Amino acid sequence: MKRKIIAYNFELTETLEKLDDQFEVQIFDSINPKTDPAFIHALKDVEGIVGLALPVDQELLERAPKLKIVSNNSTGYNNLSIEEMTKRGVMGTNTPGVLEETTADAIFGILIASARRIAELDHFVKSGNWKGHLTTAEYAIDVHHKTLGIIGMGKIGSSIAKRAHLGFDMNILYYNRNRNLDAEEKYNATYCDLDTLLKEADFVCLMTPLTKETENLIGAREFNLMKRSCIFVNGSRGKTVDEVALIKALENKEIHGAALDVYQIEPIKMDNPLLQFPNVVTTPHLGSSTFETERKMAELAVENLLAGLTGKRPKNLINPEVLH
């Protein structure tokens, strides 16, 4: 009898083919893992789980006594209760080092889209409102030679800085837990405190991971410090921003606009006021969603899973203490 694996919200299922000889793979998509009877039944015998955004908590772990590894098909892993997994000897893995460049493309793209009003003016043309020469009502703002403030100068933040400085001659300010000397040397980035960045940047780009320290990092006080001409960009996680404060900042014209790829509740609810602002660009958490990048991530996730199930150390093991 083949050992059992669950694939959860795993789009590129063809990458699972290398598992077929040794394992029985059950695929679950768009189900509620807390209540779906087939999923709950499958947990009883499952040894490995691969997929995206499955909440692996104490309840799930208790239902999966044979579980050996959870392979996240993403860089982030805040959906995994690592401490609980380690207690039970369950490995956790992720897929870092794959999506930095493509995510930087996407986030810098929505920054440009917001500044140049691309989505708004696309609708303007398609609605038949373009009757002649543009007036000041349709004017946008420049990106080149402006100041970009990056909060979180990790690999993605650095890739955004590269595009901004080398491609658009932008001045770079950044705030980070530690100085990024490489970014300072390559992109002439200037390290500063958060308040200075908020006050001086023409574009504020939030790229921090979600932790207890960064939850609601940007709120009413921070929006009040920004220039009225500032565009706020969030490519991190929705919960790093106080959404109510963002809405009020937009309503009160404390900032010029926003470009958002993430939200506190995803998918975003249609009654969310953020969807009503023409000066807010909204994309569906598309940071890494290209065929090339998603395939690389899927292949790495399967590689991690297979290693953990065949007695090898996975390349991207999050909790190495589980081996001891």
Side-chain angles (χ1 to χ4, degrees):
M1 182 179 294
K2 291 183 178 180
R3 299 157 70 185
K4 295 183 178 179
I5 289 171
I6 285 175
Y8 178 84
N9 289 349
F10 196 85
E11 288 293 327
L12 300 180
T13 53
E14 62 269 25
T15 58
L16 300 171
E17 292 176 358
K18 65 178 66 176
L19 302 172
D20 289 344
D21 290 341
Q22 301 180 60
F23 305 97
E24 176 187 335
V25 182
Q26 291 182 267
I27 298 173
F28 294 89
D29 187 28
S30 300
I31 55 99
N32 185 336
K34 298 286 187 183
T35 59
D36 186 87
F39 181 82
I40 292 171
H41 178 75
L43 287 175
K44 295 178 182 179
D45 296 313
V46 73
E47 294 188 36
I49 297 175
V50 61
L52 180 65
L54 174 65
V56 178
D57 53 15
Q58 183 176 348
E59 180 183 357
L60 183 145
L61 291 166
E62 287 175 352
R63 288 173 166 171
K66 297 181 181 179
L67 187 61
K68 293 180 173 60
I69 183 170
V70 179
S71 179
N72 251 20
N73 187 30
S74 67
T75 297
Y77 50 88
N78 54 298
N79 60 304
L80 304 182
S81 298
I82 293 297
E83 186 176 345
E84 289 294 331
M85 290 171 60
T86 303
K87 285 180 185 177
R88 292 168 168 78
V90 178
M91 291 176 279
T93 64
N94 64 339
T95 56
V98 175
L99 53 71
E100 287 81 9
E101 293 295 334
T102 196
T103 301
D105 283 350
I107 301 308
F108 199 73
I110 63 173
L111 181 154
I112 295 172
S114 182
R116 297 308 305 263
R117 300 172 63 184
I118 289 174
E120 186 183 353
L121 294 177
D122 171 76
H123 180 71
F124 173 81
V125 173
K126 290 175 178 174
S127 299
N129 294 319
W130 186 24
K131 303 298 184 182
H133 71 277
L134 297 181
T135 68
T136 55
E138 288 81 50
Y139 286 0
I141 61 174
D142 283 332
V143 175
H144 64 84
H145 293 93
K146 294 289 183 70
T147 296
L148 171 62
I150 300 175
I151 304 171
M153 189 65 91
K155 291 182 178 180
I156 301 174
S158 295
S159 293
I160 292 170
K162 176 174 66 176
R163 286 156 177 74
H165 181 66
L166 300 181
F168 288 78
D169 292 310
M170 297 182 81
N171 301 312
I172 309 296
L173 301 177
Y174 79 97
Y175 171 73
N176 203 48
R177 283 184 301 178
N178 303 299
R179 288 183 62 176
N180 187 328
L181 299 180
D182 188 57
E184 292 181 20
E185 179 181 351
K186 290 181 178 178
Y187 316 125
N188 200 28
T190 301
Y191 179 75
C192 63
D193 60 71
L194 180 59
D195 285 6
T196 298
L197 182 150
L198 296 172
K199 291 174 183 176
E200 296 186 7
D202 298 303
F203 299 88
V204 171
C205 185
L206 182 59
M207 296 306 303
T208 61
L210 177 62
T211 65
K212 290 179 181 178
E213 292 74 26
T214 62
E215 187 168 352
N216 287 326
L217 177 66
I218 304 299
R221 188 190 79 87
E222 288 72 29
F223 286 118
N224 188 55
L225 289 174
M226 296 179 196
K227 297 177 180 179
R228 285 186 172 267
S229 58
C230 179
I231 289 178
F232 173 70
V233 183
N234 190 8
S236 59
R237 290 291 185 268
K239 291 183 179 180
T240 56
V241 177
D242 181 342
E243 234 170 58
V244 173
L246 172 57
I247 291 165
K248 288 182 178 178
L250 291 162
E251 288 175 340
N252 297 333
K253 301 187 186 307
E254 294 174 25
I255 58 175
H256 183 77
L260 310 172
D261 190 44
V262 291
Y263 313 89
Q264 287 199 348
I265 296 175
E266 295 183 4
I268 190 171
K269 302 296 183 183
M270 290 307 297
D271 61 355
N272 190 316
L274 289 171
L275 298 179
Q276 305 307 314
F277 293 101
N279 57 332
V280 176
V281 173
T282 52
T283 51
H285 204 148
L286 54 71
S288 64
S289 297
T290 66
F291 283 108
E292 297 92 340
T293 297
E294 291 294 340
R295 182 170 297 281
K296 289 176 186 175
M297 290 174 64
E299 290 172 350
L300 181 53
V302 171
E303 180 184 320
N304 284 331
L305 179 76
L306 191 57
L309 291 174
T310 55
K312 301 173 184 176
R313 179 184 174 120
K315 181 178 179 180
N316 304 110
L317 184 61
I318 298 165
N319 54 341
E321 59 272 21
V322 76
L323 300 177
H324 306 297

